[in-house]
């Protein structure tokens, strides 16, 4: 988990640095580069041991849906970084825990205690305070993209 957190932090830092140096670069380009780099790493590690067919996984649709939702979340995160900066974008994307807890009773039929509902309400109130509209429409779009990344990743 620590290595994963460090890896995501480094990736977001590189995206932020690239977007500062090349403002015209889109978040789709950054996502495409991320896909190519990760595919090269996976191919280099997996194919020599297990062959090309292992790259398709077990062909369950859930695996492919997770990849599609993850790609949308990453594109939204990269776009949010461009508008609100790396810190706020990372914080908003990390809101997925609040949305997971919010969706769990409806999607997973999980029982949620009143204390958990209070925590969810507090988390949503905190997100509202962070995302309150300001005079910069670009930042508002970035906040919506960051929250969207949190919802989609949930």
């Amino acid at each position: 988990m620590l290595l994963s957190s460090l890896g995501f932090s480094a990736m977001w830092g590189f995206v932020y640095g690239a977007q500062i140096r090349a403002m015209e670069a889109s978040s789709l380009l950054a996502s495409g580069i991320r896909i190519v780099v990760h595919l090269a790493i996976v191919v280099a590690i997996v194919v020599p041991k297990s062959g090309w067919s292992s790259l398709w996984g077990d062909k369950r649709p859930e695996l492919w849906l997770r990849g599609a939702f993850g790609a949308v979340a990453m594109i939204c995160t990269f776009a949010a970084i461009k508008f609100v900066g790396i810190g706020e974008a990372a914080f908003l994307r990390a809101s997925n825990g609040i949305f997971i807890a919010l969706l769990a009773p409806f999607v997973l039929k999980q029982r949620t205690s009143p204390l958990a509902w209070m925590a969810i309400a507090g988390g949503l109130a905190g997100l509202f305070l962070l995302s309150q509209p300001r005079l910069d429409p670009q930042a508002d779009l970035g906040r919506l993209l960051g929250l969207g990344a949190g919802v989609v990743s949930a």
Side-chain angles (χ1 to χ4, degrees), residues 52 102 118 144:
W52 287 97
L102 179 66
M118 286 178 24
L144 284 174

Side-chain angles (χ1 to χ4, degrees), residues 6-151:
L6 288 171
F8 272 98
S9 297
M11 175 183 60
W12 291 344
F14 286 131
V15 167
Y16 181 67
Q19 289 179 347
I20 286 174
R21 285 174 181 70
M23 291 299 283
E24 68 280 352
S26 73
S27 54
L28 289 175
L29 176 64
S31 295
I33 292 169
R34 177 185 183 263
I35 289 168
V36 169
V37 169
H38 284 126
L39 183 61
I41 292 169
V42 168
V43 166
I45 293 171
V46 173
V47 171
K49 293 181 182 179
S50 305
W52 287 97
S53 63
S54 63
L55 292 177
W56 295 105
D58 59 7
K59 297 186 175 109
R60 287 184 299 164
E62 294 88 357
L63 178 67
W64 294 95
L65 284 173
R66 184 191 185 287
F69 279 105
V72 170
M74 200 53 55
I75 290 168
C76 287
T77 301
F78 290 166
I81 288 171
K82 190 172 194 170
F83 294 120
V84 295
I86 191 169
E88 192 169 352
F91 180 79
L92 289 169
R93 178 154 186 320
S95 67
N96 67 341
I98 297 168
F99 295 116
I100 289 170
L102 179 66
L103 293 171
F106 307 106
V107 176
L108 303 175
K109 308 294 185 227
Q110 178 182 347
R111 289 190 60 204
T112 303
S113 70
L115 187 61
W117 282 114
M118 286 178 24
I120 293 168
L124 291 172
L127 286 173
F128 173 76
L129 291 174
L130 176 72
S131 302
Q132 62 183 325
R134 298 192 183 110
L135 296 176
D136 184 6
Q138 295 276 346
D140 291 341
L141 176 61
R143 286 183 192 90
L144 284 174
L145 286 166
L147 283 172
V151 170

